[in-house]
Amino acid sequence: MYKVDIQPEQKQAVAIQARRNQEKQRQSRIFNVRNRVIGVDADALKSQAQERKRLEAVERAREAAFDASRVQCDLVAQLLEKEELQHAQQVARQVQAFREWEQQPKDRQDFDLYDPARLQKEKPPQVGDLDYHHGPSSMQFFAGEDLGKATRQYLQREQARRELSHQQKEHCQAKRDEKYLDILDGQKWIEMDLQAARLEDLEAACRKAMDVAVADYNRAQAIELGEQQRLAQQREQDDNLIEIYNHLTSDMLTENPSVSSNPLVPHRVIPERWKGMTPEQIAAIQKEQAGQRLEAQHRRQAERRLEAEQALQEQLAAQAACQLEHEQQVRAQKLRRDLDAYNKQLAREQRARKDYLDKVVYTNEPTAHFHLQFNTSSR
């Protein structure tokens, strides 16, 4: 391809436009109060958060895919293991069936050498236990062979049958005896019940007689107890009458003044025995009370004179306080008038200074265009 030359003016215009774009981007970052004060790029943080969420979603999808693949692999492995186990079981069954049908021991050539029933299949060398053709040295007759086993077992079965029949007869006889004993026991129980009924009747009669005797005894006891209570009440009433008479004739109710004096301290009395004062004591107390009333009257007159003097002093003090308060109010009004005059003079001076500043000093007031020319560059 051919190289295309770019004019210098166009290059310069492109560079200027690039610088202007950079300056606008820089101003948008610097003049943004939130980014400048906090120092955090919210858009960048938001994009980072979105990117992190997207990566987390991708990771979760990847993990889910791995989990699904793992589950699928596990299912496939389980199926393969199950098929392998079934195949091995089938092979084992086939091998066992082949051995059972094609490799039986009786089909072998040397089976007659270790046949377990070989001796049973052979015929015995003797006819019976009393075979006189063979002696002990012939090794054909041994103790315990028992060739008459079938006859002996038959005889034994017959003997067992007879014994069983005899046992059955004895069992039936025992049942009959037991039934007879049960009947005797029933009759015995009936007789015992009748005897118990008679005993209960006798016991009821005895109990009734005993109840009558107990009732008579309780009645007699109640009569005796009533008589004892009557006598006790009569004795208590007599005692009460004697006690009342003794109280009426005692020194306490007759008001004997000699019984109230204390033998240890003559000028004191015993409170529980003292019934009042004598006329001489009452007259002395009344005389003392009259003297106390006269003394209290003199004391009240002195207190009234003292209160009158205090009231006069308080009146004179109140008049002096009113006069002093009036003087203070006059001085406060004068001070307030002087302060108002000073404030008015100070206000006139401040108003004159403000007029001077507004009309003489600050005549060139800045406009909005003056403030907009500042802080327009990011440098």
Side-chain angles (χ1 to χ4, degrees), residues 247-285:
H247 279 295
L248 290 174
T249 59
S250 65
D251 294 335
M252 179 179 179
L253 294 179
T254 56
E255 297 183 357
N256 186 7
S258 62
V259 298
S260 63
S261 60
N262 194 340
L264 299 178
V265 184
H267 64 277
R268 293 186 179 181
V269 297
I270 300 174
E272 64 270 10
R273 298 180 181 178
W274 188 67
K275 287 297 181 180
M277 296 181 294
T278 62
E280 293 80 7
Q281 292 175 347
I282 294 174
I285 291 173

Side-chain angles (χ1 to χ4, degrees), residues 355-364:
D355 293 340
Y356 173 75
L357 291 175
D358 292 340
K359 296 178 180 179
V360 178
V361 179
Y362 303 121
T363 56
N364 189 11

